[in-house]
Amino acid sequence: MSTKPTISFSHLGCEKNRIDTEHIIGLLAQAGYQVDANEELADYVVVNTCSFIQTAREESVRTLVELAEANKKIVIAGCMAQHFQEELLAELPEAVALVGTGDYHKIVDVMQRVEKGDRVTEVSPQPTYIADETTPRYRTTSEGVAYVRIAEGCDYRCAFCIIPHLRGNQRSRTIESIVTEAQQLADQGVKEIILISQITTNYGIDIYGEPKLAELLRALGKVDIPWIRMHYAYPTGLTPKVIAAIQETPNILPYLDLPLQHSHPQILRAMNRPWQGRVNDDIIEKIKAAMPNAVLRTTFIVGFPGETEDHHAHLVKFVKRHEFDHVGVFTFSPEEGTPAYSLPNQLPKAVMDTRREKIMQVQQPISGKQNQKSVGQVVDVLIEQENPQTGELIGRSPRFSPEVDGLVYLQGKARLGSIVPVMITDADVYDLYGYVDLSKSSN
């Protein structure tokens, strides 16, 4: 019977944070700590916080305050620990430790010091660490899917973004390291891996001297995982070489997550984006011509300082013209420490909210139309949930990424974590509906 304390976890924010949390759990479990999902039964709660935008910080603060009011001993990890060190320690006496974004691999040492009565701050000013395939990990996703971080940090300096301050400059893993981890996941029965970093199309520049995404994709094609999906593919990095690698590697899904943020050249210049204006139209048309079956997802920011009605109208036309499969829209969040924080012509919240709603209204029928194309087709679906009351299965087709896109609701029998053929009988704006088609072979 272990005498080590029990630790619970609260994960907030993006999938990059999720991977950090999974490594923290893996490291502590390997060291003999008890892990319990029930915060009430835990001696300590590790909260992996998000500090990307104001709403994320508010959620993190709410979680921390609720735990403090419950008299829990809190270890604050992640972006808020990196961002607001002294303030957190001053405001939350229940916080027994702070662990930065580049220091989570030291969690066992931190907990050992905490157990001795120390109040620990382990926050490197410039994060440089990146976990690899040798770092213990306990996956928190559904059994069929796993995220794989191919690089950490960002070398761009977009005017609205605090990520480089929170995560440091880009540092990539080697192709061999990533392929080894993918093989480990395949051996565990994972059917889909999702490649993530801040700028996936810049993968490898820091260690190879040039982008190596195409080479990575081809190497991953040799791993027995049916689906490999990319997030954060910056448009300028989708070179003919990368597009060819996607087309010629059967397990690389033609799903492109393109974080465009805006369409108007003036706003893109003000944002200090690494590409501007007409480039967006040209690149998207080239991608569509080269990959007619590609699923395109993007995100936009409305209400950036100085955005006029004409700028917004330009974005509305852009969304209508390109008919993306999935669109996420965010209102501008002024982040202290970024150039955009002090720009003139900041817009009222009401204006930003109205503009966000307008883009969503334009996009919804487009998303519905794109979903309707699957009706009458048999598509592969990764089964992730089962409703115990109704027996209804819930999964995702290749056109849906976890958390951010829609779901497939289906009737029939299938094992969780398996990929099965599904006849799609109906669709709405966000989701698909169907049944397991036993006349088709499944893998």
Side-chain angles (χ1 to χ4, degrees):
M1 187 79 178
S2 174
T3 58
K4 288 187 177 292
T6 300
I7 302 176
S8 186
F9 293 84
S10 180
H11 155 75
L12 303 164
C14 66
E15 61 268 38
K16 302 172 195 74
N17 251 20
R18 179 189 289 276
I19 289 180
D20 295 349
T21 300
E22 292 179 347
H23 284 305
I24 291 172
I25 298 172
L27 287 160
L28 288 170
Q30 183 188 62
Y33 287 88
Q34 303 299 301
V35 176
D36 198 309
N38 190 338
E39 293 169 356
E40 293 180 14
L41 300 178
D43 301 299
Y44 298 92
V45 181
V46 176
V47 182
N48 201 0
T49 57
C50 181
S51 192
F52 181 47
I53 56 176
Q54 181 64 32
T55 52
R57 280 197 297 278
E58 289 169 356
E59 182 186 10
S60 293
V61 168
R62 273 198 306 274
T63 301
L64 293 169
V65 168
E66 286 170 6
L67 290 167
E69 288 174 347
N71 294 315
K72 303 305 297 186
K73 295 174 184 174
I74 310 166
V75 176
I76 306 175
C79 291
M80 280 198 80
Q82 192 74 32
H83 199 179
F84 299 107
Q85 299 171 40
E86 301 308 319
E87 294 97 318
L88 288 169
L89 289 174
E91 293 293 329
L92 288 166
E94 295 82 2
V96 295
L98 292 182
V99 182
T101 59
D103 301 275
Y104 59 86
H105 58 300
K106 303 171 187 171
I107 188 66
V108 173
D109 176 67
V110 168
M111 291 309 305
Q112 288 170 347
R113 289 157 62 191
V114 164
E115 286 180 75
K116 292 174 183 172
D118 295 346
R119 197 181 197 203
V120 181
T121 299
E122 193 66 71
V123 181
S124 299
Q126 181 70 18
T128 58
Y129 177 72
I130 181 168
D132 61 23
E133 77 281 6
T134 66
T135 312
R137 180 178 179 185
Y138 177 87
R139 285 193 293 114
T140 60
T141 47
S142 64
E143 60 187 287
V145 65
Y147 293 99
V148 172
R149 178 165 28 216
I150 64 173
E152 173 65 290
C154 185
D155 291 336
Y156 289 154
R157 295 296 183 266
C158 298
F160 55 82
C161 184
I162 202 166
I163 288 296
H165 173 67
L166 300 178
R167 295 269 176 182
N169 292 325
Q170 177 171 306
R171 47 210 187 269
S172 303
R173 296 168 57 189
T174 65
I175 290 174
E176 293 77 13
S177 169
I178 296 163
V179 170
T180 299
E181 182 176 11
Q183 187 58 57
Q184 291 169 352
L185 292 166
D187 293 343
Q188 295 167 21
V190 168
K191 295 294 191 292
E192 175 183 14
I193 63 172
I194 301 169
L195 306 179
I196 60 170
S197 69
Q198 263 71 38
I199 312 172
T200 300
T201 34
N202 276 8
Y203 164 74
I205 289 177
D206 51 309
I207 56 175
Y208 297 114
E210 61 181 351
K212 289 287 185 179
L213 179 60
E215 290 81 356
L216 174 63
L217 295 179
R218 291 186 187 277
L220 288 168
K222 298 181 175 70
V223 180
D224 186 20
I225 286 189
W227 294 358
I228 297 176
R229 186 188 304 271
M230 286 187 296
H231 278 194
Y232 313 110
Y234 278 51
T236 47
L238 289 168
T239 60
K241 191 175 174 183
V242 171
I243 289 173
I246 296 169
Q247 290 173 310
E248 295 165 13
T249 312
N251 60 347
I252 306 297
L253 297 178
Y255 175 101
L256 297 175
D257 174 36
L258 314 168
L260 298 176
Q261 309 308 4
H262 212 279
S263 63
H264 199 286
Q266 290 177 346
I267 297 299
L268 289 165
R269 278 194 289 273
M271 288 178 167
N272 198 32
R273 297 296 278 165
W275 65 89
Q276 294 160 1
R278 182 67 198 168
V279 174
N280 277 350
D281 282 308
D282 292 344
I283 288 177
I284 291 166
E285 292 307 327
K286 284 177 183 173
I287 291 168
K288 285 185 170 182
M291 303 172 63
N293 63 332
V295 175
L296 300 185
R297 173 181 175 78
T298 191
T299 50
F300 296 116
I301 296 172
V302 295
F304 189 82
E307 184 190 54
T308 64
E309 286 295 339
D310 284 346
H311 294 145
H312 179 64
H314 187 280
L315 180 57
V316 170
K317 288 179 183 175
F318 184 82
V319 171
K320 288 179 178 176
R321 181 164 64 252
H322 289 299
E323 296 194 327
F324 298 97
D325 294 85
H326 313 294
V327 171
V329 188
F330 300 89
T331 54
F332 170 72
S333 176
E335 300 303 312
E336 196 169 355
T338 64
Y341 182 79
S342 52
L343 284 177
N345 303 315
Q346 303 271 338
L347 274 65
K349 182 178 183 301
V351 171
M352 292 196 288
D353 288 343
T354 299
R355 290 182 182 176
R356 179 187 182 278
E357 186 61 30
K358 173 63 177 175
I359 300 289
M360 295 306 294
Q361 285 175 354
V362 167
Q363 177 59 32
Q364 282 182 342
I366 296 171
S367 292
K369 184 175 89 169
Q370 301 291 41
N371 273 351
Q372 285 291 334
K373 292 176 182 177
S374 296
V375 175
Q377 294 186 359
V378 175
V379 303
D380 284 342
V381 172
L382 174 59
I383 306 300
E384 296 190 293
Q385 302 172 56
E386 181 178 5
N387 185 319
Q389 274 77 43
T390 65
E392 182 181 51
L393 299 171
I394 303 172
R396 289 179 297 105
S397 72
R399 60 179 285 102
F400 296 143
S401 196
E403 310 286 337
V404 292
D405 299 331
L407 296 167
V408 183
Y409 295 88
L410 59 140
Q411 302 298 324
K413 296 293 183 184
R415 183 173 50 81
L416 291 177
S418 66
I419 294 177
V420 297
V422 172
M423 170 60 76
I424 301 301
T425 57
D426 199 4
D428 59 27
V429 169
Y430 296 112
D431 302 314
L432 300 175
Y433 305 85
Y435 60 88
V436 177
D437 188 344
L438 296 176
S439 68
K440 307 295 181 183
S441 62
S442 67
N443 51 348

